[in-house]
Amino acid sequence: MSSASDLDASKRDVGPREEGGPSFAREANDPRLLWRFVWSLLAATCGLLVSVLSLNILIDPFDLFHTGLVPTAIENDRAIKIGLLYRLKSSPDILILGSSRSRHAQPAFLQQLTGRTGFNAGVTGGDATDEWVFTRMLFQRFPRQPHHALIFISGGVGSGGVNPQLADDARARRFLTAGLPSGEWSLRHKLLAYLSSDATRSSLRVMRACVIGTCTTRWFHADGSLLEQRAVSEDRATKRLLEMLQADISRLTSHGINPARLEEGQPAGRGHMFERLLGFLNEHGVTPVVVMVPFQPRLLRTMQRLGDRRRQATRSYLARLHRRYRFVYLDLSNVHTFGGSPLGFVDPTHVTTATMRLMLTYVVKHDHGIL
């Protein structure tokens, strides 16, 4: 039989063990450990961000820091085409202007139709400001030769500012007139851009291309036209187009059109750069031909059903401009106007080279002999 003293001793023995058991919980709730975890997490996050930023700056997929170690994920077609224009030995008769939707226009094919040489100055996201700069460059480069202008538009004609790639090019900067919003990107904007997932994906894509394939920086012929792409079977091209079309329509139907997008290209409050361009061309004896390009019909109908009235507004705007400026306007929004096909698109907003040739053939037949 245990004595009372033995019982007391056993209680004393158990006491410390019971108190020692929950000590782990007390340590887990120790504020110092919590702060240590937070600081470790912050340090790891900062290290990851610095690594991502360093990778993107070195690869420089959007050509914001001009490292030049590897080709950019997107070609800086403004800088490339400015260089091509300045390297021309003789003046092109027809200057092709517009956004990426004009880049499939081949000066060589246009020469077959008109007998005139040409240069394609269409650039990604190009608008009236880009068109103004390239026009001024051409007239400065070849001031005494006659010129013609073929301008492609896709919804609007105005300018919401200066593209950073254009503003960053010293050769273009002198033609950017006072009063235009600056296109310069601050260091903060560049760093934020290169912390994005889009920039990182682009950097990885460039790295894979340079490791698996061959890095190349050549995109255009000497006349500004696109280099021929690898041929794709008609069935595969159609399947890809329909997939992209369905994705675009689904996205528009689900989310609608960003109201800011509806203002893109509208002339009001944009400095009327397009009017300045028309006035400059007319003063130098040039009557430009302005062509509204098509979108894939199903996409265009969806956009208009959701409230996109940019094309209608642009038609009305151009009709008013006819009172003051000389130009020929051709609306090719409907692919059937020029004998095109709803499947004649690389993607829902860019026509194929074959479709562009049909467009050029129609333009030359209906431009009142301008080109």
Side-chain angles (χ1 to χ4, degrees):
M1 252 180 101
S2 301
S3 64
S5 60
D6 293 336
L7 263 163
D8 291 340
S10 66
K11 286 180 181 178
R12 285 195 299 271
D13 292 341
V14 170
R17 286 195 295 270
E18 290 178 346
E19 289 178 1
S23 65
F24 295 106
R26 286 201 306 273
E27 290 178 6
N29 293 326
D30 188 340
R32 292 175 299 177
L33 291 177
L34 180 60
W35 279 111
R36 192 180 303 164
F37 170 76
V38 170
W39 283 114
S40 299
L41 181 61
L42 288 175
T45 302
C46 289
L48 177 62
L49 291 176
V50 169
S51 300
V52 168
L53 184 60
S54 300
L55 170 69
N56 289 335
I57 289 176
L58 286 173
I59 300 300
D60 201 12
F62 303 149
D63 196 30
L64 297 181
F65 289 89
H66 313 300
T67 59
L69 296 178
V70 294
T72 56
I74 55 171
E75 78 278 9
N76 185 346
D77 50 3
R78 287 170 175 81
I80 295 171
K81 291 199 173 186
I82 289 172
L84 291 175
L85 190 149
Y86 275 115
R87 285 196 290 272
L88 291 174
K89 301 299 183 184
S90 59
S91 173
D93 297 315
I94 302 173
L95 182 64
I96 300 169
L97 300 164
S99 68
S100 59
R101 297 176 183 93
S102 68
R103 299 200 312 173
H104 284 277
Q106 298 171 316
F109 181 75
L110 196 55
Q111 186 173 9
Q112 294 177 22
L113 298 173
T114 65
R116 303 182 189 275
T117 61
F119 181 82
N120 189 320
V123 292
T124 305
D127 66 2
T129 303
D130 296 281
E131 295 157 8
W132 167 263
V133 169
F134 276 103
T135 299
R136 293 296 306 275
M137 284 181 174
L138 179 68
F139 276 79
Q140 184 196 64
R141 179 87 169 80
F142 304 102
R144 294 181 178 83
Q145 284 85 349
H147 303 293
H148 298 76
L150 175 59
I151 306 173
F152 290 95
I153 60 176
S154 59
V157 297
S159 174
V162 182
N163 184 281
Q165 290 182 344
L166 189 69
D168 199 42
D169 196 302
R171 297 166 297 180
R173 199 177 296 126
R174 62 173 135 167
F175 298 107
L176 298 175
T177 55
L180 282 176
S182 172
E184 297 284 359
W185 281 19
S186 67
L187 178 61
R188 181 176 68 88
H189 286 120
K190 292 179 180 180
L191 294 177
L192 288 175
Y194 273 2
L195 282 172
S196 69
S197 57
D198 286 341
T200 304
R201 282 195 294 269
S202 297
S203 292
L204 295 175
R205 177 160 56 86
V206 170
M207 290 176 63
R208 282 196 299 269
C210 290
V211 171
I212 299 173
T214 301
C215 291
T216 179
T217 57
R218 190 161 179 261
W219 305 88
F220 303 98
H221 293 289
D223 63 3
S225 60
L226 285 167
L227 290 173
E228 292 75 13
Q229 302 297 312
R230 185 175 59 182
V232 178
S233 69
E234 186 175 343
D235 289 343
R236 184 178 175 184
T238 299
K239 179 181 178 182
R240 185 172 59 187
L241 170 64
L242 294 178
E243 289 174 351
M244 288 189 287
L245 177 62
Q246 186 57 50
D248 285 354
I249 291 176
S250 298
R251 183 166 54 251
L252 286 173
T253 303
S254 301
H255 304 292
I257 300 177
N258 187 335
R261 291 292 304 276
L262 297 178
E263 296 299 320
E264 287 182 1
Q266 297 304 310
R270 307 297 191 190
H272 300 292
M273 182 56 73
F274 186 74
E275 296 177 38
R276 195 173 303 174
L277 172 65
L278 292 179
F280 178 85
L281 290 170
N282 287 176
E283 287 171 10
H284 288 79
V286 179
T287 301
V289 178
V290 181
V291 178
M292 180 79 79
V293 301
F295 282 3
Q296 207 287 333
R298 282 180 56 199
L299 176 66
L300 185 59
R301 287 195 297 270
T302 301
M303 293 171 63
Q304 292 173 338
R305 177 172 56 82
L306 295 174
D308 190 334
R309 298 289 181 267
R310 284 176 293 181
R311 291 180 182 242
Q312 294 91 320
T314 298
R315 293 187 195 105
S316 300
Y317 173 65
L318 292 176
R320 294 194 300 272
L321 290 186
H322 263 135
R323 303 168 193 164
R324 289 179 286 154
Y325 305 102
R326 301 188 317 276
F327 64 93
V328 173
Y329 173 61
L330 298 173
D331 190 344
L332 303 188
S333 296
N334 188 335
V335 293
H336 300 296
T337 300
F338 55 90
S341 164
L343 298 180
F345 290 80
V346 178
D347 59 49
T349 62
H350 292 77
V351 300
T352 62
T353 300
T355 299
M356 177 57 78
R357 289 187 171 191
L358 292 175
M359 292 170 60
L360 291 175
T361 302
Y362 181 92
V363 167
V364 171
K365 286 181 179 180
H366 295 83
D367 67 353
H368 307 299
I370 298 296
L371 298 179

